[in-house]
Amino acid sequence: MSLPPVLHDRLRLPAVASPLFIVSGPDLVVAQCTAGVIGSFPSLNARPQPVLREWLTDITARLAKHDANNPEAPSAPYAVNLIVHKSNTRLEEDLATIVEFEVPIVITSLGARADVNDAVHSYGGVVLHDVIDNTFARKAVAKGADGLIAVAAGAGGHAGTQSPFALIQEIRAWFDGPLVLSGAIAHGRAILAAQAAGADLAYIGSAFIASTEANADPRYKQMIVDSTAADIVYSNRFTGVHGNYLRGSIEAAGLDLDALTDSQPAVPNFGINEDTEPDPKPKSKPWRDIWGAGHGIGVVDAVLPAARIIERLSAEYAQARAALP
């Protein structure tokens, strides 16, 4: 099956910039899209809910302006991530706004719903669904997802435990639709390896946390630069869902790593009904103060504009292709 045009036209690299909770916003998305990769953000980053309409208005206007000024290098499409979990009380409102703006790509996660897929399909949008194993992959496709994002071991934030090779080969045994691979992809060689393994596109997240456009605490960006895979902790203690997090942020929050056991999972909490403004009485919030990152951060050595990061990835990707025997 060939990819729908929205997933390959206008791309400088076969890559999707993953939606980064709190971190991704209009500036980062526009920078990613104008540099040639699919940019994305979680709908929940726009707070309160009416801000989502403001963000989509801003993004579409800026991308249209870029395209008018650069007809020889138009921008890549953008995507919005929807958390399809029962704790997301904004889902229906956010979905209605997405349909209103006819967002070209919608990334669904933490649940699969046929009605959400139908709503996106009503205007010709494409749905990609996050999965961590083959069972979830089959359920997502059965409910109408157009493509899958295989979230393998090493991915930042909520991540699975399976090797990317095992996960991709099991999915490709029965699914020939759009397939994106997530998990420790921060170098051009890894993008090429994802394609060789059977994926159509690579999913890149943690590298963009250390970008000038990212809406991240400067300490978070510097911790990405200073850390390696050895500094990643895998736990479900922070949001109720297993994920990869920076050890330094856990320690900075005053938590005892030795006391964090998966036998005592936290109640799911994604900060859905809270904003990101400082509290009158500051206290640590897992969704805000425990910082996600993937195993690929060892290659990130500086905070750079997103366009520079994409330039590096493009050069590495070209070099890797040329080096093949």
Side-chain angles (χ1 to χ4, degrees):
M1 174 180 175
S2 60
L3 288 176
V6 73
L7 292 179
H8 66 75
D9 287 356
R10 301 187 174 192
L11 296 190
R12 179 180 182 182
L13 271 175
V16 179
S18 66
L20 302 166
F21 191 50
I22 297 181
V23 172
S24 300
D27 289 344
L28 182 55
V29 170
V30 170
Q32 292 165 335
C33 291
T34 55
V37 303
I38 296 170
S40 71
F41 71 94
S43 66
L44 294 175
N45 281 7
R47 306 181 185 203
Q49 201 280 331
V51 173
L52 179 58
R53 177 173 281 100
E54 297 174 12
W55 281 21
L56 292 176
T57 299
D58 181 32
I59 290 170
T60 54
R62 290 163 68 182
L63 293 181
K65 181 178 180 180
H66 169 87
D67 294 350
N69 293 334
N70 301 274
E72 76 292 346
S75 59
Y78 72 97
V80 175
N81 171 226
L82 280 177
I83 290 182
V84 192
H85 187 273
K86 61 183 179 181
S87 65
N88 184 2
T89 56
R90 282 180 41 172
L91 177 59
E92 300 303 327
E93 288 180 284
D94 286 355
L95 179 59
T97 305
I98 282 171
V99 172
E100 176 188 342
F101 280 83
E102 298 188 353
V103 173
I105 303 165
V106 175
I107 299 168
T108 53
S109 54
L110 297 177
R113 280 176 44 175
D115 60 327
V116 172
N117 297 335
D118 290 343
V120 177
H121 292 157
S122 71
Y123 61 83
V126 170
V127 178
L128 303 176
H129 187 72
D130 281 349
V131 298
I132 61 171
D133 62 34
N134 198 34
T135 299
F136 284 122
R138 289 183 178 276
K139 290 180 179 179
V141 172
K143 292 187 178 182
D146 301 292
L148 300 168
I149 300 171
V151 186
H158 299 141
T161 58
Q162 291 185 4
S163 159
F165 300 113
L167 185 54
I168 287 289
Q169 73 183 9
E170 289 190 4
I171 293 173
R172 275 297 186 224
W174 60 272
F175 182 66
D176 65 352
L179 183 55
V180 187
L181 179 61
S182 171
I185 298 176
H187 192 283
R189 285 193 300 267
I191 298 174
L192 186 60
Q195 290 183 300
D200 298 297
L201 302 165
Y203 209 48
I204 305 172
S206 300
F208 288 112
I209 297 171
S211 66
T212 54
E213 297 90 351
N215 181 34
D217 188 312
R219 296 171 299 170
Y220 188 1
K221 297 183 183 184
Q222 191 58 46
M223 194 175 290
I224 293 288
V225 172
D226 295 338
S227 300
T228 69
D231 298 304
I232 302 300
V233 174
Y234 187 70
S235 176
N236 67 346
R237 289 290 297 143
F238 309 116
T239 67
V241 179
H242 275 97
N244 285 313
Y245 303 93
L246 286 165
R247 179 182 302 274
S249 69
I250 299 171
E251 294 171 341
L255 300 176
D256 182 359
L257 282 168
D258 293 332
L260 297 177
T261 64
D262 290 349
S263 62
Q264 299 173 317
V267 174
N269 178 8
F270 310 108
I272 290 169
N273 298 314
E274 304 179 65
D275 59 32
T276 56
E277 295 299 317
D279 297 324
K281 295 181 179 180
K283 59 182 179 180
S284 182
K285 293 182 178 180
W287 55 268
R288 182 192 64 194
D289 302 315
I290 307 301
W291 298 333
H295 288 181
I297 56 174
V299 75
V300 180
D301 58 8
V303 177
L304 298 170
R308 289 274 304 279
I309 296 171
I310 293 168
E311 286 176 6
R312 171 181 66 80
L313 291 167
S314 297
E316 293 165 348
Y317 178 77
Q319 291 167 2
R321 288 187 58 139
L324 289 177

